[in-house]
Amino acid sequence: MATKQGIHKSRGGLIRSFVTSENGIIKDITISGDFFMFPEEALFIILEQLKGTPANHTALRKNIEETYKKENIQSPGTSPSDFAESIMKALEG
Amino acid sequence: MEEWRFIDFGLVDIRDMMAMDEAILKGDGGNTFFFWTPKKSIILGFFQKADVELNLARCEGYTITRRISGGGIAFSDDRCRQINYGVVGTIDNELFPLDIIESYKQICGVLIDTLVHYDLNAAFRPINDVVVDNKKISGNAQTRWEGKLLQNGTLLLDFDIEEMLRISNIPEEKFLDKKIASIREGLTWLDRELGEERDMEEVKDIIKQKFEERFMVGLKPGTLSKKEKMLTKNLLPKYYSHEWTYR
């Protein structure tokens, strides 16, 4: 399984995703970027929750939105859809 | 008039400074405004990976650590002509608004007032920049903890932009080529804008005065409390660790 990289620029900053997937399912994701998120540690929860998610934009976005609600996340200028977009760019290589 | 604490840490090792920064946020010193000038260094934003964002082979001689707030790399060259500041305040919806962008705007207002004092066309550019004629002159980063906020930022007096590009890992993607051009053309610093070098202490005095005016407080010189010193001591190993910086 190769790790693929995707880059997406949101209004709040650049999101670089490193994604491994197998049979259309997310195995692992790491993210590097200059965006903001409050609380910061919530990004690790988002990434953990994404493991096992079908590798398509809607499923990714919905999964991230759920964690946003649960963890009361704010990220000015960056939305769950922006993270999904960055991850999809990695998957589409 | 209400008095808030003021500390000038002077020229510092950023690992020590980031430990004190976090200690002030989590300490018992009340609302505080502070300055420091970083030695040759790179501070990564909370979400940035060192090997992704930096060309590490070219970073020899730089002290690298990570901060607890998001945002991008804070790069300091050996010219040491940057004024870095920190604000710790209780979020109260008046002086420090709950709304994140509003609170950035309020604190960045101190830098804007300072630049306007020098007759420069300064403005806030959401989310977290201060610009002069639409060129970035100050980057700012905020985090929050238990009803308080910590904002750090820098005002560039001089800046080695080519050196910053040299140590950065700029992606090769086409649309990011444009980004390199926009970094070069999109940044400025006070010496360039004024066409002369200003004394750093003079600029700090103006910032301090503008802070007092904007927040309607008096800044009283102080030091770290006993609790903050203890917290700093406990936090130092993190900021010096490989695990934290290169995670």
Side-chain angles (χ1 to χ4, degrees), chain B residues 9 49 81 100 118 134-135 142 145 159 182 187 223:
Chain B
F9 291 98
K49 293 200 174 296
R81 276 187 61 78
I100 292 163
Y118 287 105
N134 216 26
K135 290 180 177 179
Q142 197 185 114
W145 183 82
F159 194 67
S182 77
L187 271 175
T223 53

Side-chain angles (χ1 to χ4, degrees), chain B residues 134-190:
Chain B
N134 216 26
K135 290 180 177 179
K136 180 171 170 175
I137 196 164
S138 158
N140 302 274
Q142 197 185 114
T143 186
R144 294 174 170 210
W145 183 82
E146 293 193 355
K148 292 192 272 185
L149 62 77
L150 163 67
Q151 185 166 314
N152 289 146
T154 180
L155 179 67
L156 304 177
L157 302 194
D158 191 11
F159 194 67
D160 190 344
I161 201 164
E162 295 307 321
E163 175 64 5
M164 188 198 70
L165 291 170
R166 193 184 71 85
I167 56 106
S168 300
N169 228 354
I170 311 276
E172 284 160 22
E173 273 71 7
K174 244 189 187 166
F175 79 100
L176 285 165
D177 284 348
K178 281 185 211 151
K179 196 174 176 236
I180 297 179
S182 77
I183 291 170
R184 233 183 230 119
E185 287 152 29
L187 271 175
T188 193
W189 45 90
L190 195 68

Side-chain angles (χ1 to χ4, degrees), chain B residues 212-230:
Chain B
E212 289 179 318
E213 287 171 13
R214 172 163 281 260
F215 286 93
M216 293 171 294
V217 294
L219 288 173
K220 190 173 179 249
T223 53
L224 294 183
S225 72
K226 207 173 166 187
K227 185 183 177 185
E228 287 167 333
K229 282 182 185 162
M230 187 60 86

Side-chain angles (χ1 to χ4, degrees), chain B residues 26-207:
Chain B
K26 297 179 177 174
D28 57 356
N31 288 5
T32 305
F33 182 57
F34 51 102
F35 285 133
W36 79 90
T37 299
K39 292 180 188 167
K40 188 174 174 178
S41 59
I42 297 157
I43 309 179
L44 294 159
F46 186 84
F47 306 107
Q48 293 185 301
K49 293 200 174 296
D51 59 344
V52 173
E53 309 289 342
L54 297 170
N55 187 330
L56 286 171
R58 295 179 177 173
C59 290
E60 210 176 310
Y62 285 89
T63 302
I64 308 176
T65 193
R66 175 184 302 286
R67 61 174 184 266
I68 53 171
S69 52
I73 284 165
F75 163 80
S76 303
D77 54 53
D78 48 15
R79 297 176 187 177
C80 296
R81 276 187 61 78
Q82 281 189 38
I83 299 171
N84 283 52
Y85 76 86
V87 178
V88 167
T90 299
I91 296 164
D92 58 6
N93 268 324
E94 202 175 326
L95 294 176
F96 296 115
L98 184 61
D99 181 86
I100 292 163
I101 294 181
E102 284 303 314
S103 63
Y104 270 118
K105 195 175 170 184
Q106 163 74 342
I107 299 168
C108 289
V110 173
L111 301 176
I112 294 167
D113 294 345
T114 302
L115 294 163
V116 167
H117 167 89
Y118 287 105
D119 286 326
L120 296 174
N121 178 30
F124 177 64
R125 186 172 67 193
I127 296 160
N128 58 322
D129 292 337
V130 174
V131 295
V132 168
D133 293 327
N134 216 26
K135 290 180 177 179
K136 180 171 170 175
I137 196 164
S138 158
N140 302 274
Q142 197 185 114
T143 186
R144 294 174 170 210
W145 183 82
E146 293 193 355
K148 292 192 272 185
L149 62 77
L150 163 67
Q151 185 166 314
N152 289 146
T154 180
L155 179 67
L156 304 177
L157 302 194
D158 191 11
F159 194 67
D160 190 344
I161 201 164
E162 295 307 321
E163 175 64 5
M164 188 198 70
L165 291 170
R166 193 184 71 85
I167 56 106
S168 300
N169 228 354
I170 311 276
E172 284 160 22
E173 273 71 7
K174 244 189 187 166
F175 79 100
L176 285 165
D177 284 348
K178 281 185 211 151
K179 196 174 176 236
I180 297 179
S182 77
I183 291 170
R184 233 183 230 119
E185 287 152 29
L187 271 175
T188 193
W189 45 90
L190 195 68
D191 292 351
R192 179 159 91 175
E193 291 298 322
L194 297 179
E196 61 175 350
E197 272 190 30
R198 299 310 276 242
D199 177 50
M200 201 147 91
E201 296 307 313
E202 171 209 294
V203 182
K204 277 153 86 174
D205 281 344
I206 305 288
I207 296 173

Side-chain angles (χ1 to χ4, degrees), chain A residues 26-71:
Chain A
I26 301 292
K27 287 282 166 200
D28 194 38
I29 304 177
T30 57
I31 280 179
S32 180
D34 61 0
F35 52 89
F36 289 93
M37 180 178 284
F38 305 84
E40 287 81 3
E41 285 76 12
L43 182 70
F44 303 123
I45 301 170
I46 290 176
L47 298 179
E48 195 54 39
Q49 290 297 319
L50 282 172
K51 287 180 186 170
T53 306
N56 69 74
H57 192 283
T58 308
L60 292 166
R61 178 177 52 79
K62 283 193 173 159
N63 184 298
I64 298 168
E65 279 171 354
E66 251 174 57
T67 311
Y68 260 64
K69 258 190 227 149
K70 221 187 250 170
E71 303 297 326

